Amino acid sequence: MIDLQSIINKIYNDLTSQKNKGIVASYIPELSKQDSNSFGIHLRHINGDTFSVGDWQTSFSIQSISKVLTLSKAISLVDNNIWKRLDVEPSGNPFNHLSLLEQENGIPRNPLINSGAIVVADILLSHLKNPKADFLNYVRVLADDDSITYDEKVAASEKKTGFKNYAIANLLKSFGNLKNNVEDVLDFYFHQCALKMSCEQLVKTFYMLTNKGKCINNIQHITASQAKRINAIMLTCGFYDEAGEFAFEVGLPGKSGVGGGIVALLPNQFVISIWSPGLNTKGNSLLGMQALEQFTTKTNLSIF
Ligand code: DON
């Protein structure tokens, strides 16, 4: 039996003493208040065992990690119809890139880049009665935790400075791939990104993706086949122009956010989440990437 606790302790100790911890995101001003020394790891095995170290109970802004959760909600509502408005190819571009969207007539490459997530947000707006409240409730049920909330300050901060997202949403609208108002869709999108969660809560929320669509309370939210497809999209698109690097170094489906969080999983085995707010140049947590590389190398627990 591998001693997972001592492996994550060692990774934590080695990386906390590293000088270069990356740069905390500042293009959303509220995120720049984060301390680059924060660092937490939490893992839950499908057999119920959990392993934790550092700031695993501190909540942070999950940002783009939320795109997987809006995707799973949209898939549970419209299933394969979602693919009429979105593709499933890696973009090889930064998360907020615009030119491919124009070249490809307003069909986003995948649901995990900003343009794709904005289309998914539009779908949710069309199907949910009270989109923000209903989506928050969905996440709370997945995590079995009613304390999860939106960070209104982060949402407001991004609304003030989210010019690229306004450009993307307007471009989508011009191609007819946004049914609702740009303002309403972006208000929802900024809120989903502003969800506040700890590593522990993230791991619980993503548990259904390692467990064939069944959440921590054994409720079937999506089918096993839908979970398989979402994991495939995370593997190929979860890290934008670093998705190849993540597959190469880590070898797990996963998703990052500019708040410094990463969640990754091995189907039928475990979910792991890491938080360290300093980012690399591609907008992914620097220590998070390194910690996961060390984890799958030391344990041999990857899909490859
Ligand atoms: O739309 C944005 O720019 C942010 N709300 C989310 C970006 C993000 O997290 C990219 N991930 N690494």
Side-chain angles (χ1 to χ4, degrees):
M1 197 47 196
I2 326 169
D3 184 353
L4 291 177
Q5 186 62 52
S6 45
I7 290 176
I8 64 169
N9 285 349
K10 168 127 183 56
I11 294 171
Y12 178 85
N13 291 333
D14 288 353
L15 290 178
T16 31
S17 55
Q18 180 171 301
K19 270 215 176 101
N20 180 10
K21 294 198 166 72
I23 313 261
V24 175
S26 58
Y27 78 100
I28 300 172
E30 196 63 27
L31 293 184
S32 66
K33 296 180 181 163
Q34 298 195 100
D35 177 359
S36 61
N37 289 314
S38 305
F39 188 24
I41 305 178
H42 181 71
L43 182 148
R44 175 181 288 263
H45 199 274
I46 205 150
N47 68 11
D49 292 347
T50 59
F51 306 91
S52 321
V53 65
D55 302 315
W56 58 285
Q57 285 175 307
T58 309
S59 57
F60 57 91
S61 191
I62 73 164
Q63 292 297 321
S64 286
I65 298 173
S66 66
K67 293 167 178 172
V68 180
L69 303 172
T70 51
L71 176 64
S72 68
K73 182 67 191 168
I75 284 181
S76 74
L77 292 166
V78 302
D79 199 13
N80 283 330
N81 282 331
I82 195 172
W83 307 120
K84 293 179 183 154
R85 296 175 58 185
L86 282 168
D87 208 342
V88 290
E89 293 301 331
S91 68
N93 275 321
F95 55 88
N96 55 6
H97 199 76
L98 275 151
S99 68
L100 263 185
L101 186 63
E102 173 140 51
Q103 273 167 37
E104 296 177 354
N105 301 318
I107 301 294
R109 272 285 168 113
N110 66 68
L112 300 184
I113 49 175
N114 288 14
S115 55
I118 290 170
V119 169
V120 174
D122 185 53
I123 293 171
L124 292 184
L125 247 64
S126 299
H127 283 83
L128 300 176
K129 249 198 189 141
N130 301 301
K132 283 190 277 187
D134 294 352
F135 176 65
L136 180 60
N137 189 51
Y138 172 68
V139 174
R140 287 176 170 177
V141 171
L142 287 182
D144 189 25
D145 187 338
D146 281 347
S147 71
I148 296 171
T149 54
Y150 297 120
D151 185 331
E152 291 294 341
K153 276 192 184 161
V154 171
S157 178
E158 184 166 17
K159 195 171 212 167
K160 270 196 209 145
T161 54
F163 304 113
K164 274 252 172 125
N165 286 323
Y166 277 96
I168 290 169
N170 278 297
L171 200 52
L172 286 166
K173 189 82 183 166
S174 78
F175 281 109
N177 203 3
L178 217 62
K179 310 294 177 204
N180 297 280
N181 290 332
V182 164
E183 273 301 332
D184 296 343
V185 177
L186 287 180
D187 179 60
F188 179 88
Y189 173 77
F190 294 144
H191 275 82
Q192 69 169 80
C193 289
L195 272 173
K196 240 179 6 185
M197 282 193 224
S198 65
C199 291
E200 183 186 26
Q201 289 168 325
L202 260 182
V203 159
K204 285 166 97 185
T205 310
F206 273 69
Y207 187 79
M208 70 162 170
L209 292 172
T210 190
N211 193 34
K212 299 194 170 81
K214 276 190 197 166
C215 74
I216 195 127
N217 280 336
N218 244 11
I219 306 164
Q220 190 91 45
H221 287 273
I222 49 174
T223 65
S225 159
Q226 289 168 334
K228 177 191 83 174
R229 296 196 194 291
I230 293 172
N231 287 334
I233 294 170
M234 283 202 285
L235 182 77
T236 52
C237 312
F239 294 79
Y240 317 111
D241 42 344
E242 209 169 27
E245 184 76 15
F246 192 77
F248 181 76
E249 302 275 356
V250 178
L252 295 174
K255 185 72 204 84
S256 62
V258 289
I262 297 183
V263 59
L265 60 99
L266 186 57
N268 310 315
Q269 295 218 36
F270 65 82
V271 187
I272 185 168
S273 174
I274 314 228
W275 173 51
S276 169
L279 308 179
N280 65 19
T281 53
K282 305 284 170 94
N284 299 316
S285 170
L286 185 93
L287 293 197
M289 297 282 284
Q290 292 178 353
L292 281 169
E293 186 281 320
Q294 290 188 20
F295 179 78
T296 57
T297 302
K298 285 180 201 290
T299 59
N300 244 329
L301 293 170
S302 96
I303 62 171
F304 298 110

